[in-house]
Amino acid sequence: MRGEDPDIVAVMSVLAETAPDIVVLQGFDYDLTGAALNAFADRLAGTGPSYPWRFAARPNTGYQSGIDLDGDGRAGDPRDAQGYGRFSGQGGMAVLSRFEIIASDVQTFTDLLWRDFPGALLPETDARPFPSPEAQAIQRLSTTAHWVVPVQVPGLGRLSLLTFHASPPVFDGPEDRNGRRNHDEILFWQYYLDGTFGPAPAEKLVLLGDTNQDPQDGEGRKAAIRGLLNNPLLQDPAPRSTGSVIISDDPFDTADWDDPVPGNLRVDYVLPSRDLTVTGSGVWWPDPASEAGETAATASRHRLVWVDIAR
């Protein structure tokens, strides 16, 4: 509210420049009353787009499990939360929209247990399930959340946003706990679209979020993200940017990490259903040497991915 945080100022500048009708914010701290989200949106309305419709729900990030989930022999650390976090709600998600969010019809799968996911790739050691059978009995699939958020868009009708933020497939050991979880978090949407978790929209939907997974480069299991990009219900506009070409000669990257590892990767996606017409797409990554490029870098290591759609 003071306008003194350079990251927040930069994020608001990016949103004022791009002015999306609907935006999913990743890494946005959750609080019970929505004070932070409302303060952010209200301040943004003074210089950029106005978002009267807002949605956030409690994420798994920072939600303490009460037991040792990462196998280090201690409980109560950030990695012992259902999703990494130093406090409950740290680094959650939020949706801002110019159009009505039908909050009463939102579906959340945040509390789905990982072991209840079909064919779950639960981590194991030679001796037993990792880190323990007790941990796997309460471990949730979602690092942050899996939401289906319907929005009533004029001229288009009801548009379903399928959104999530998956675990990075690193920061673990030979049991590959995070790599396996990342795979299953992405794979969740294939099962959702197949109707495994109940009736799912077959049209007028957009799957979007931070998968923390590149289909070609970087660490992790690639089968789930490649399957999602090839799902017959979805289309991949393959957004690109000038800034990414300048930095890595790859137009499709969306995140700028340290070189050489992990380097720049494509991990953020906006995938409309095939019944929708894509009229434009891109990654807001201006020339890094420009003022706009510096603003984008200050806002986040991830760049805003945008897609324009019509019926």
Side-chain angles (χ1 to χ4, degrees):
M1 294 174 70
R2 291 191 299 268
E4 297 173 355
D5 186 283
D7 294 348
I8 294 174
V9 171
V11 169
M12 290 186 177
S13 178
V14 170
L15 292 176
E17 178 69 25
T18 55
D21 294 313
I22 302 169
V23 60
V24 176
L25 301 173
Q26 302 282 8
F28 197 101
D29 295 343
Y30 170 82
D31 62 83
L32 183 61
T33 64
L37 182 60
N38 288 328
F40 179 86
D42 290 345
R43 185 173 182 86
L44 178 62
T47 57
S50 176
Y51 297 112
W53 299 93
R54 304 149 189 182
F55 175 80
R58 184 178 183 176
N60 282 333
T61 46
Y63 183 14
Q64 273 297 329
S65 65
I67 65 174
D68 175 19
L69 284 189
D70 64 348
D72 67 354
R74 300 189 305 269
D77 292 337
R79 288 188 175 88
D80 297 315
Q82 290 287 358
Y84 181 90
R86 293 180 174 86
F87 59 86
S88 183
Q90 182 183 19
M93 307 192 309
V95 182
L96 299 177
S97 176
R98 290 181 53 220
F99 313 122
E100 180 186 0
I101 295 174
I102 311 172
S104 60
D105 290 351
V106 169
Q107 293 178 283
T108 64
F109 298 91
T110 308
D111 59 354
L112 174 68
L113 294 180
W114 188 1
R115 70 175 185 178
D116 292 340
F117 181 70
L121 294 180
L122 294 170
E124 296 181 353
T125 65
D126 291 338
R128 61 175 184 170
F130 181 89
S132 67
E134 294 76 17
Q136 291 194 0
I138 67 168
Q139 175 69 74
R140 297 178 176 185
L141 173 65
S142 300
T143 299
T144 308
H146 284 79
W147 297 340
V148 180
V149 181
V151 180
Q152 192 66 31
V153 180
L156 184 65
R158 182 176 172 128
L159 179 70
S160 296
L161 307 179
L162 284 54
T163 189
F164 74 127
H165 188 164
S167 177
V170 291
F171 310 122
D172 54 14
E175 83 288 340
D176 194 27
R177 173 178 180 250
N178 293 340
R180 290 167 176 263
R181 191 178 188 185
N182 172 274
H183 173 277
D184 284 357
E185 287 181 277
I186 297 169
L187 186 61
F188 169 87
W189 291 117
Q190 298 274 50
Y191 283 103
Y192 175 80
L193 291 170
D194 286 346
T196 299
F197 299 101
E203 60 179 11
K204 289 193 291 188
L205 62 91
V206 179
L207 196 158
L208 70 170
D210 178 0
T211 71
N212 267 312
Q213 191 57 258
D214 185 296
Q216 304 296 334
D217 301 320
E219 296 190 43
R221 299 166 181 256
K222 306 300 182 182
I225 187 61
R226 291 173 181 171
L228 197 63
L229 292 174
N230 289 300
N231 187 293
L233 287 177
L234 304 173
Q235 56 181 315
D236 178 13
R240 57 182 66 204
S241 73
T242 300
S244 181
V245 172
I246 292 172
I247 291 179
S248 66
D249 201 32
D250 186 336
F252 303 112
D253 288 338
T254 66
D256 185 12
W257 279 298
D258 293 338
D259 295 322
V261 177
N264 296 351
L265 300 171
R266 184 189 185 197
V267 297
D268 310 280
Y269 301 86
V270 179
L271 307 174
S273 53
R274 289 193 175 274
D275 60 299
L276 297 172
T277 300
V278 173
T279 60
S281 68
V283 180
W284 201 78
W285 194 337
D287 184 335
S290 68
E291 182 177 351
E294 293 178 0
T295 298
T298 301
S300 174
R301 66 173 61 90
H302 296 261
R303 302 301 185 260
L304 183 142
V305 180
W306 61 270
V307 174
D308 287 338
I309 57 173
R311 187 67 168 128

